[in-house]
Amino acid sequence: MGKPQGPPAADTARSAAARGPTGLWRSPLRGPWFTSVLGVVLLAGMTLLFVTGLLSYAAYNPGLSPVNDKTPDKGILGFYLFPWPTRPRWLYRLTQGLHVTVGVTLVPVLLAKLWSVLPKFFELPPVRSVGHALERLSLLLLVGGALFEFATGILNVQLEYVFPGSFYPLHFYGAWVFFAGFAAHVALKLPRTVRVLRERGFRAQLRTRAPEGDGGSGLVAARPAEPTVSRRGALGLVGGGSLLLFATTAGQSFDGWPRATALFAPHGGRDPGTGLGAFQVNKTAAAVGLGRRDLVDGWRLDLVGRGRTVRLTRADLLALPQHRADLPLACVEGWSTSDQAWQGVRLRDLAALVGYDGERADPPGVLVESLQTRGAFRRAALRDNQVRDPRSLLALRVNGADLSPDHGYPARVIVPAAPGVLNTKWVARMTFGELV
Ligand SMILES: Nc1nc2c(c(=O)[nH]1)N[C@H]1C(S)=C(S)[C@@H](COP(=O)(O)O)O[C@H]1N2
Ligand SMILES: [Mo]
């Protein structure tokens, strides 16, 4: 094994001057190439997280009704909102499954990247010029924002309702803070990253244990310690960690044995039992305080629209034309099911009962309210395109049997491609009309 050769003398002098508590950060792994490799992975990964996150936000119709809108002060941050489509039916299953699984998978890469640039956080003097001050500010937004987004996202997936009602605003505004720092950082660092990766060569860097040349980056230790692991080993460790997390999360998006492997997606991975109604349950009837008395005895559905109210029993609903739609459930937490065979009444047929029928009046949006008296998801507003879709149902049965209480008996909404939160269970009242 060759002796580690120090970086060129000029480099060392320059970077040592810019480095605070010298002697602390002595790993011979640190260097611009190592940081660049991790940076490129994060550039792709974080971009995907940001885009799928924005899509997830659009998918729950925040601009549609104050009921859905957990971020009423979003202002121009909602500039891109668009009517979430109803096809393909697995759209949210895909975008949110990617968001959560890729997010969990990137944790080791993020930690390694932060570790690789530790000396930069302790740079002295802390500010050298206006440009440098701005760069450091963007770094603060970037690192603070990234840690905040990962922490809130992972806590939300791991623990049920740690932020009752406030997860959306925290994660949403945090995402924009992060993105401001991210965009500035990429603009500042991308040219050097590309140059370093081109010049230093992937294979060549993997083969040697010698410290990299600093190249003015301030990352290489002035007196690097003896290597204890090769760069190949270090990257292997990070990649292996990511692979392990991926393998213990991705199963949340699939039925059968893969779901049991989703250890890092506790709600998606939980054993749903056996039988026809046996697929993931988000909140049980008992958890929201609904018992037999509420769900069976005396349950009625109120349809409201155009100044009239129509009251229906479950028998009335079963007497209406029944339709079947094979649709998945996909939760904001990342888990999803494959298609379930839902049966019930079309939402647009219900709209017709209160006067929104056919050519005279296309079905408008609807506010759906459940029997639940408290809780963030007890009601939700659906857009007109969601009401109009012939596969959007007020479901009464699933997979050939009556809904179970936990899946929303006596009646629940199911809409293609919509996030789980919009598929209200234990529906008691539906108000059709303009939802402003
Ligand atoms: N009334 C009511 N409906 C609800 C919820 C709720 O808490 N209360 N949770 C929603 C969420 S977040 C999801 S993911 C789906 C899950 O449906 P499932 O429990 O049948 O799988 O129900 C939705 N409908
Ligand atoms: Mo959900």
Side-chain angles (χ1 to χ4, degrees), residues 327-331 342 347 368 377 380 382 386 392-393 407-408 411-427:
L327 300 172
L329 266 176
C331 181
W342 305 95
L347 296 188
V368 182
F377 307 139
L382 300 170
Q386 294 172 315
S392 296
L393 302 180
H407 282 306
R412 75 156 319 151
V413 164
I414 184 82
V415 171
V421 282
L422 296 185
N423 295 322
T424 308
K425 305 195 277 193
W426 315 295
V427 174

PDB file of all heavy atoms in Angstrom, residues 327-331 342 347 368 377 380 382 386 392-393 407-408 411-427:
ATOM      1  N   LEU A 327     -59.649   0.277  -8.560  1.00  0.00           N
ATOM      2  CA  LEU A 327     -58.773   1.424  -8.283  1.00  0.00           C
ATOM      3  C   LEU A 327     -57.894   1.145  -7.071  1.00  0.00           C
ATOM      4  O   LEU A 327     -58.312   0.479  -6.125  1.00  0.00           O
ATOM      5  CB  LEU A 327     -59.620   2.667  -7.994  1.00  0.00           C
ATOM      6  CG  LEU A 327     -60.562   3.149  -9.102  1.00  0.00           C
ATOM      7  CD1 LEU A 327     -61.451   4.268  -8.586  1.00  0.00           C
ATOM      8  CD2 LEU A 327     -59.759   3.617 -10.316  1.00  0.00           C
ATOM      9  N   PRO A 328     -56.692   1.707  -7.085  1.00  0.00           N
ATOM     10  CA  PRO A 328     -55.804   1.555  -5.929  1.00  0.00           C
ATOM     11  C   PRO A 328     -56.087   2.618  -4.868  1.00  0.00           C
ATOM     12  O   PRO A 328     -56.780   3.602  -5.150  1.00  0.00           O
ATOM     13  CB  PRO A 328     -54.410   1.799  -6.524  1.00  0.00           C
ATOM     14  CG  PRO A 328     -54.665   2.771  -7.647  1.00  0.00           C
ATOM     15  CD  PRO A 328     -56.045   2.467  -8.181  1.00  0.00           C
ATOM     16  N   LEU A 329     -55.565   2.401  -3.674  1.00  0.00           N
ATOM     17  CA  LEU A 329     -55.522   3.441  -2.643  1.00  0.00           C
ATOM     18  C   LEU A 329     -54.057   3.841  -2.521  1.00  0.00           C
ATOM     19  O   LEU A 329     -53.185   2.979  -2.489  1.00  0.00           O
ATOM     20  CB  LEU A 329     -55.961   2.882  -1.301  1.00  0.00           C
ATOM     21  CG  LEU A 329     -57.401   3.004  -0.857  1.00  0.00           C
ATOM     22  CD1 LEU A 329     -57.571   2.281   0.467  1.00  0.00           C
ATOM     23  CD2 LEU A 329     -57.830   4.450  -0.721  1.00  0.00           C
ATOM     24  N   ALA A 330     -53.792   5.122  -2.452  1.00  0.00           N
ATOM     25  CA  ALA A 330     -52.398   5.575  -2.326  1.00  0.00           C
ATOM     26  C   ALA A 330     -52.334   6.690  -1.296  1.00  0.00           C
ATOM     27  O   ALA A 330     -52.973   7.723  -1.455  1.00  0.00           O
ATOM     28  CB  ALA A 330     -51.881   6.069  -3.675  1.00  0.00           C
ATOM     29  N   CYS A 331     -51.564   6.469  -0.245  1.00  0.00           N
ATOM     30  CA  CYS A 331     -51.501   7.417   0.872  1.00  0.00           C
ATOM     31  C   CYS A 331     -50.330   8.377   0.709  1.00  0.00           C
ATOM     32  O   CYS A 331     -49.311   8.038   0.117  1.00  0.00           O
ATOM     33  CB  CYS A 331     -51.364   6.648   2.178  1.00  0.00           C
ATOM     34  SG  CYS A 331     -51.301   7.705   3.629  1.00  0.00           S
ATOM     35  N   TRP A 342     -63.906  -1.870  -6.259  1.00  0.00           N
ATOM     36  CA  TRP A 342     -64.907  -1.086  -5.518  1.00  0.00           C
ATOM     37  C   TRP A 342     -66.240  -1.153  -6.243  1.00  0.00           C
ATOM     38  O   TRP A 342     -66.282  -1.155  -7.471  1.00  0.00           O
ATOM     39  CB  TRP A 342     -64.470   0.378  -5.419  1.00  0.00           C
ATOM     40  CG  TRP A 342     -63.111   0.569  -4.822  1.00  0.00           C
ATOM     41  CD1 TRP A 342     -61.928   0.700  -5.505  1.00  0.00           C
ATOM     42  CD2 TRP A 342     -62.771   0.648  -3.433  1.00  0.00           C
ATOM     43  NE1 TRP A 342     -60.878   0.850  -4.632  1.00  0.00           N
ATOM     44  CE2 TRP A 342     -61.367   0.826  -3.351  1.00  0.00           C
ATOM     45  CE3 TRP A 342     -63.507   0.585  -2.254  1.00  0.00           C
ATOM     46  CZ2 TRP A 342     -60.698   0.939  -2.142  1.00  0.00           C
ATOM     47  CZ3 TRP A 342     -62.848   0.707  -1.046  1.00  0.00           C
ATOM     48  CH2 TRP A 342     -61.461   0.882  -0.993  1.00  0.00           C
ATOM     49  N   LEU A 347     -70.352   9.172  -8.355  1.00  0.00           N
ATOM     50  CA  LEU A 347     -70.514  10.500  -7.763  1.00  0.00           C
ATOM     51  C   LEU A 347     -71.371  11.381  -8.659  1.00  0.00           C
ATOM     52  O   LEU A 347     -72.181  12.179  -8.192  1.00  0.00           O
ATOM     53  CB  LEU A 347     -69.144  11.165  -7.529  1.00  0.00           C
ATOM     54  CG  LEU A 347     -68.209  10.485  -6.523  1.00  0.00           C
ATOM     55  CD1 LEU A 347     -66.985  11.376  -6.269  1.00  0.00           C
ATOM     56  CD2 LEU A 347     -68.922  10.180  -5.209  1.00  0.00           C
ATOM     57  N   VAL A 368     -67.176  16.713   0.750  1.00  0.00           N
ATOM     58  CA  VAL A 368     -67.567  15.450   1.372  1.00  0.00           C
ATOM     59  C   VAL A 368     -67.240  15.508   2.859  1.00  0.00           C
ATOM     60  O   VAL A 368     -66.112  15.814   3.235  1.00  0.00           O
ATOM     61  CB  VAL A 368     -66.799  14.269   0.729  1.00  0.00           C
ATOM     62  CG1 VAL A 368     -67.244  12.950   1.342  1.00  0.00           C
ATOM     63  CG2 VAL A 368     -66.987  14.263  -0.777  1.00  0.00           C
ATOM     64  N   PHE A 377     -58.692  14.788   8.542  1.00  0.00           N
ATOM     65  CA  PHE A 377     -59.186  14.220   7.278  1.00  0.00           C
ATOM     66  C   PHE A 377     -60.662  13.880   7.338  1.00  0.00           C
ATOM     67  O   PHE A 377     -61.147  13.019   6.614  1.00  0.00           O
ATOM     68  CB  PHE A 377     -58.375  12.974   6.905  1.00  0.00           C
ATOM     69  CG  PHE A 377     -56.904  13.222   6.895  1.00  0.00           C
ATOM     70  CD1 PHE A 377     -56.027  12.285   7.412  1.00  0.00           C
ATOM     71  CD2 PHE A 377     -56.397  14.401   6.380  1.00  0.00           C
ATOM     72  CE1 PHE A 377     -54.661  12.529   7.411  1.00  0.00           C
ATOM     73  CE2 PHE A 377     -55.038  14.652   6.372  1.00  0.00           C
ATOM     74  CZ  PHE A 377     -54.160  13.713   6.891  1.00  0.00           C
ATOM     75  N   ALA A 380     -63.263  16.577   2.918  1.00  0.00           N
ATOM     76  CA  ALA A 380     -62.379  16.917   1.806  1.00  0.00           C
ATOM     77  C   ALA A 380     -63.220  17.394   0.629  1.00  0.00           C
ATOM     78  O   ALA A 380     -64.364  16.970   0.469  1.00  0.00           O
ATOM     79  CB  ALA A 380     -61.556  15.706   1.395  1.00  0.00           C
ATOM     80  N   LEU A 382     -63.633  17.716  -3.498  1.00  0.00           N
ATOM     81  CA  LEU A 382     -63.230  17.113  -4.770  1.00  0.00           C
ATOM     82  C   LEU A 382     -63.568  18.059  -5.905  1.00  0.00           C
ATOM     83  O   LEU A 382     -64.577  18.770  -5.863  1.00  0.00           O
ATOM     84  CB  LEU A 382     -63.960  15.787  -4.982  1.00  0.00           C
ATOM     85  CG  LEU A 382     -63.721  14.705  -3.928  1.00  0.00           C
ATOM     86  CD1 LEU A 382     -64.694  13.543  -4.136  1.00  0.00           C
ATOM     87  CD2 LEU A 382     -62.283  14.217  -3.999  1.00  0.00           C
ATOM     88  N   GLN A 386     -63.057  15.343 -10.966  1.00  0.00           N
ATOM     89  CA  GLN A 386     -63.066  14.102 -10.168  1.00  0.00           C
ATOM     90  C   GLN A 386     -64.491  13.591  -9.990  1.00  0.00           C
ATOM     91  O   GLN A 386     -64.728  12.381  -9.991  1.00  0.00           O
ATOM     92  CB  GLN A 386     -62.384  14.358  -8.818  1.00  0.00           C
ATOM     93  CG  GLN A 386     -60.894  14.664  -8.997  1.00  0.00           C
ATOM     94  CD  GLN A 386     -60.198  15.109  -7.723  1.00  0.00           C
ATOM     95  OE1 GLN A 386     -60.717  15.933  -6.982  1.00  0.00           O
ATOM     96  NE2 GLN A 386     -59.000  14.599  -7.485  1.00  0.00           N
ATOM     97  N   SER A 392     -65.325   7.399 -10.452  1.00  0.00           N
ATOM     98  CA  SER A 392     -65.380   7.957  -9.094  1.00  0.00           C
ATOM     99  C   SER A 392     -66.663   7.500  -8.426  1.00  0.00           C
ATOM    100  O   SER A 392     -67.762   7.756  -8.917  1.00  0.00           O
ATOM    101  CB  SER A 392     -65.365   9.488  -9.152  1.00  0.00           C
ATOM    102  OG  SER A 392     -64.152   9.946  -9.682  1.00  0.00           O
ATOM    103  N   LEU A 393     -66.518   6.820  -7.293  1.00  0.00           N
ATOM    104  CA  LEU A 393     -67.688   6.205  -6.660  1.00  0.00           C
ATOM    105  C   LEU A 393     -67.847   6.640  -5.213  1.00  0.00           C
ATOM    106  O   LEU A 393     -66.870   6.983  -4.537  1.00  0.00           O
ATOM    107  CB  LEU A 393     -67.550   4.673  -6.663  1.00  0.00           C
ATOM    108  CG  LEU A 393     -67.388   3.945  -7.990  1.00  0.00           C
ATOM    109  CD1 LEU A 393     -67.264   2.443  -7.720  1.00  0.00           C
ATOM    110  CD2 LEU A 393     -68.548   4.230  -8.942  1.00  0.00           C
ATOM    111  N   HIS A 407     -62.723   0.251   6.656  1.00  0.00           N
ATOM    112  CA  HIS A 407     -62.560   0.801   5.306  1.00  0.00           C
ATOM    113  C   HIS A 407     -63.675   1.777   4.945  1.00  0.00           C
ATOM    114  O   HIS A 407     -63.803   2.180   3.789  1.00  0.00           O
ATOM    115  CB  HIS A 407     -62.469  -0.312   4.261  1.00  0.00           C
ATOM    116  CG  HIS A 407     -61.121  -0.975   4.215  1.00  0.00           C
ATOM    117  ND1 HIS A 407     -59.948  -0.281   4.048  1.00  0.00           N
ATOM    118  CD2 HIS A 407     -60.755  -2.278   4.334  1.00  0.00           C
ATOM    119  CE1 HIS A 407     -58.919  -1.117   4.054  1.00  0.00           C
ATOM    120  NE2 HIS A 407     -59.390  -2.336   4.242  1.00  0.00           N
ATOM    121  N   GLY A 408     -64.504   2.138   5.922  1.00  0.00           N
ATOM    122  CA  GLY A 408     -65.420   3.246   5.680  1.00  0.00           C
ATOM    123  C   GLY A 408     -66.897   2.933   5.645  1.00  0.00           C
ATOM    124  O   GLY A 408     -67.678   3.776   5.199  1.00  0.00           O
ATOM    125  N   ALA A 411     -70.373   3.917   3.770  1.00  0.00           N
ATOM    126  CA  ALA A 411     -70.082   4.414   2.426  1.00  0.00           C
ATOM    127  C   ALA A 411     -68.829   5.267   2.469  1.00  0.00           C
ATOM    128  O   ALA A 411     -68.614   6.025   3.413  1.00  0.00           O
ATOM    129  CB  ALA A 411     -71.253   5.239   1.895  1.00  0.00           C
ATOM    130  N   ARG A 412     -68.007   5.141   1.441  1.00  0.00           N
ATOM    131  CA  ARG A 412     -66.793   5.941   1.357  1.00  0.00           C
ATOM    132  C   ARG A 412     -66.560   6.366  -0.078  1.00  0.00           C
ATOM    133  O   ARG A 412     -67.039   5.736  -1.019  1.00  0.00           O
ATOM    134  CB  ARG A 412     -65.586   5.150   1.829  1.00  0.00           C
ATOM    135  CG  ARG A 412     -65.168   4.141   0.792  1.00  0.00           C
ATOM    136  CD  ARG A 412     -63.721   3.680   0.832  1.00  0.00           C
ATOM    137  NE  ARG A 412     -62.719   4.659   1.082  1.00  0.00           N
ATOM    138  CZ  ARG A 412     -61.569   4.368   1.678  1.00  0.00           C
ATOM    139  NH1 ARG A 412     -61.318   3.149   2.086  1.00  0.00           N
ATOM    140  NH2 ARG A 412     -60.669   5.287   1.839  1.00  0.00           N
ATOM    141  N   VAL A 413     -65.786   7.435  -0.227  1.00  0.00           N
ATOM    142  CA  VAL A 413     -65.447   7.925  -1.556  1.00  0.00           C
ATOM    143  C   VAL A 413     -64.216   7.198  -2.074  1.00  0.00           C
ATOM    144  O   VAL A 413     -63.309   6.871  -1.314  1.00  0.00           O
ATOM    145  CB  VAL A 413     -65.170   9.452  -1.486  1.00  0.00           C
ATOM    146  CG1 VAL A 413     -64.442   9.924  -2.738  1.00  0.00           C
ATOM    147  CG2 VAL A 413     -66.470  10.214  -1.292  1.00  0.00           C
ATOM    148  N   ILE A 414     -64.202   6.911  -3.378  1.00  0.00           N
ATOM    149  CA  ILE A 414     -62.976   6.444  -4.027  1.00  0.00           C
ATOM    150  C   ILE A 414     -62.886   7.140  -5.383  1.00  0.00           C
ATOM    151  O   ILE A 414     -63.837   7.120  -6.158  1.00  0.00           O
ATOM    152  CB  ILE A 414     -62.915   4.904  -4.125  1.00  0.00           C
ATOM    153  CG1 ILE A 414     -61.583   4.446  -4.716  1.00  0.00           C
ATOM    154  CG2 ILE A 414     -64.072   4.320  -4.901  1.00  0.00           C
ATOM    155  CD1 ILE A 414     -60.457   4.388  -3.718  1.00  0.00           C
ATOM    156  N   VAL A 415     -61.748   7.804  -5.617  1.00  0.00           N
ATOM    157  CA  VAL A 415     -61.550   8.595  -6.827  1.00  0.00           C
ATOM    158  C   VAL A 415     -60.242   8.163  -7.471  1.00  0.00           C
ATOM    159  O   VAL A 415     -59.223   8.053  -6.787  1.00  0.00           O
ATOM    160  CB  VAL A 415     -61.482  10.109  -6.485  1.00  0.00           C
ATOM    161  CG1 VAL A 415     -61.059  10.929  -7.687  1.00  0.00           C
ATOM    162  CG2 VAL A 415     -62.830  10.590  -5.963  1.00  0.00           C
ATOM    163  N   PRO A 416     -60.246   7.912  -8.800  1.00  0.00           N
ATOM    164  CA  PRO A 416     -59.012   7.460  -9.446  1.00  0.00           C
ATOM    165  C   PRO A 416     -57.902   8.517  -9.373  1.00  0.00           C
ATOM    166  O   PRO A 416     -58.163   9.704  -9.521  1.00  0.00           O
ATOM    167  CB  PRO A 416     -59.428   7.214 -10.905  1.00  0.00           C
ATOM    168  CG  PRO A 416     -60.747   7.904 -11.075  1.00  0.00           C
ATOM    169  CD  PRO A 416     -61.380   7.969  -9.736  1.00  0.00           C
ATOM    170  N   ALA A 417     -56.690   8.059  -9.096  1.00  0.00           N
ATOM    171  CA  ALA A 417     -55.459   8.856  -9.096  1.00  0.00           C
ATOM    172  C   ALA A 417     -55.353   9.854  -7.954  1.00  0.00           C
ATOM    173  O   ALA A 417     -54.364  10.567  -7.847  1.00  0.00           O
ATOM    174  CB  ALA A 417     -55.272   9.600 -10.428  1.00  0.00           C
ATOM    175  N   ALA A 418     -56.372   9.905  -7.082  1.00  0.00           N
ATOM    176  CA  ALA A 418     -56.351  10.908  -6.012  1.00  0.00           C
ATOM    177  C   ALA A 418     -55.581  10.387  -4.802  1.00  0.00           C
ATOM    178  O   ALA A 418     -55.530   9.180  -4.566  1.00  0.00           O
ATOM    179  CB  ALA A 418     -57.773  11.254  -5.603  1.00  0.00           C
ATOM    180  N   PRO A 419     -54.971  11.293  -4.024  1.00  0.00           N
ATOM    181  CA  PRO A 419     -54.333  10.851  -2.796  1.00  0.00           C
ATOM    182  C   PRO A 419     -55.347  10.307  -1.803  1.00  0.00           C
ATOM    183  O   PRO A 419     -56.516  10.718  -1.815  1.00  0.00           O
ATOM    184  CB  PRO A 419     -53.679  12.120  -2.241  1.00  0.00           C
ATOM    185  CG  PRO A 419     -54.175  13.254  -3.034  1.00  0.00           C
ATOM    186  CD  PRO A 419     -54.864  12.729  -4.249  1.00  0.00           C
ATOM    187  N   GLY A 420     -54.913   9.396  -0.929  1.00  0.00           N
ATOM    188  CA  GLY A 420     -55.782   8.747   0.042  1.00  0.00           C
ATOM    189  C   GLY A 420     -56.634   9.722   0.831  1.00  0.00           C
ATOM    190  O   GLY A 420     -57.814   9.464   1.077  1.00  0.00           O
ATOM    191  N   VAL A 421     -56.051  10.863   1.204  1.00  0.00           N
ATOM    192  CA  VAL A 421     -56.785  11.817   2.048  1.00  0.00           C
ATOM    193  C   VAL A 421     -58.082  12.298   1.423  1.00  0.00           C
ATOM    194  O   VAL A 421     -58.970  12.749   2.137  1.00  0.00           O
ATOM    195  CB  VAL A 421     -55.952  13.083   2.361  1.00  0.00           C
ATOM    196  CG1 VAL A 421     -54.945  12.809   3.443  1.00  0.00           C
ATOM    197  CG2 VAL A 421     -55.287  13.625   1.129  1.00  0.00           C
ATOM    198  N   LEU A 422     -58.188  12.204   0.102  1.00  0.00           N
ATOM    199  CA  LEU A 422     -59.424  12.665  -0.540  1.00  0.00           C
ATOM    200  C   LEU A 422     -60.486  11.569  -0.584  1.00  0.00           C
ATOM    201  O   LEU A 422     -61.630  11.822  -0.969  1.00  0.00           O
ATOM    202  CB  LEU A 422     -59.139  13.180  -1.961  1.00  0.00           C
ATOM    203  CG  LEU A 422     -58.238  14.416  -2.055  1.00  0.00           C
ATOM    204  CD1 LEU A 422     -58.123  14.899  -3.492  1.00  0.00           C
ATOM    205  CD2 LEU A 422     -58.735  15.543  -1.159  1.00  0.00           C
ATOM    206  N   ASN A 423     -60.113  10.353  -0.221  1.00  0.00           N
ATOM    207  CA  ASN A 423     -61.063   9.234  -0.271  1.00  0.00           C
ATOM    208  C   ASN A 423     -61.749   9.073   1.088  1.00  0.00           C
ATOM    209  O   ASN A 423     -61.516   8.105   1.815  1.00  0.00           O
ATOM    210  CB  ASN A 423     -60.340   7.950  -0.676  1.00  0.00           C
ATOM    211  CG  ASN A 423     -59.803   8.036  -2.098  1.00  0.00           C
ATOM    212  OD1 ASN A 423     -60.441   8.598  -2.982  1.00  0.00           O
ATOM    213  ND2 ASN A 423     -58.615   7.505  -2.312  1.00  0.00           N
ATOM    214  N   THR A 424     -62.592  10.020   1.398  1.00  0.00           N
ATOM    215  CA  THR A 424     -63.211  10.113   2.722  1.00  0.00           C
ATOM    216  C   THR A 424     -64.019   8.858   3.065  1.00  0.00           C
ATOM    217  O   THR A 424     -64.798   8.365   2.248  1.00  0.00           O
ATOM    218  CB  THR A 424     -64.118  11.353   2.770  1.00  0.00           C
ATOM    219  OG1 THR A 424     -63.354  12.472   2.328  1.00  0.00           O
ATOM    220  CG2 THR A 424     -64.640  11.607   4.179  1.00  0.00           C
ATOM    221  N   LYS A 425     -63.827   8.388   4.298  1.00  0.00           N
ATOM    222  CA  LYS A 425     -64.563   7.209   4.785  1.00  0.00           C
ATOM    223  C   LYS A 425     -65.727   7.667   5.666  1.00  0.00           C
ATOM    224  O   LYS A 425     -65.769   8.788   6.119  1.00  0.00           O
ATOM    225  CB  LYS A 425     -63.613   6.325   5.610  1.00  0.00           C
ATOM    226  CG  LYS A 425     -62.343   5.927   4.852  1.00  0.00           C
ATOM    227  CD  LYS A 425     -61.597   4.780   5.508  1.00  0.00           C
ATOM    228  CE  LYS A 425     -60.690   5.228   6.625  1.00  0.00           C
ATOM    229  NZ  LYS A 425     -59.744   4.147   7.050  1.00  0.00           N
ATOM    230  N   TRP A 426     -66.679   6.774   5.907  1.00  0.00           N
ATOM    231  CA  TRP A 426     -67.832   7.021   6.784  1.00  0.00           C
ATOM    232  C   TRP A 426     -68.553   8.315   6.369  1.00  0.00           C
ATOM    233  O   TRP A 426     -68.839   9.195   7.197  1.00  0.00           O
ATOM    234  CB  TRP A 426     -67.387   7.132   8.254  1.00  0.00           C
ATOM    235  CG  TRP A 426     -66.416   6.055   8.654  1.00  0.00           C
ATOM    236  CD1 TRP A 426     -66.679   4.721   8.719  1.00  0.00           C
ATOM    237  CD2 TRP A 426     -65.030   6.211   9.022  1.00  0.00           C
ATOM    238  NE1 TRP A 426     -65.544   4.041   9.113  1.00  0.00           N
ATOM    239  CE2 TRP A 426     -64.532   4.929   9.309  1.00  0.00           C
ATOM    240  CE3 TRP A 426     -64.181   7.316   9.144  1.00  0.00           C
ATOM    241  CZ2 TRP A 426     -63.215   4.718   9.698  1.00  0.00           C
ATOM    242  CZ3 TRP A 426     -62.872   7.102   9.537  1.00  0.00           C
ATOM    243  CH2 TRP A 426     -62.396   5.814   9.806  1.00  0.00           C
ATOM    244  N   VAL A 427     -68.840   8.426   5.072  1.00  0.00           N
ATOM    245  CA  VAL A 427     -69.417   9.667   4.551  1.00  0.00           C
ATOM    246  C   VAL A 427     -70.836   9.888   5.094  1.00  0.00           C
ATOM    247  O   VAL A 427     -71.643   8.953   5.140  1.00  0.00           O
ATOM    248  CB  VAL A 427     -69.464   9.620   3.007  1.00  0.00           C
ATOM    249  CG1 VAL A 427     -70.188  10.832   2.453  1.00  0.00           C
ATOM    250  CG2 VAL A 427     -68.053   9.544   2.446  1.00  0.00           C
TER     251      VAL A 427
END
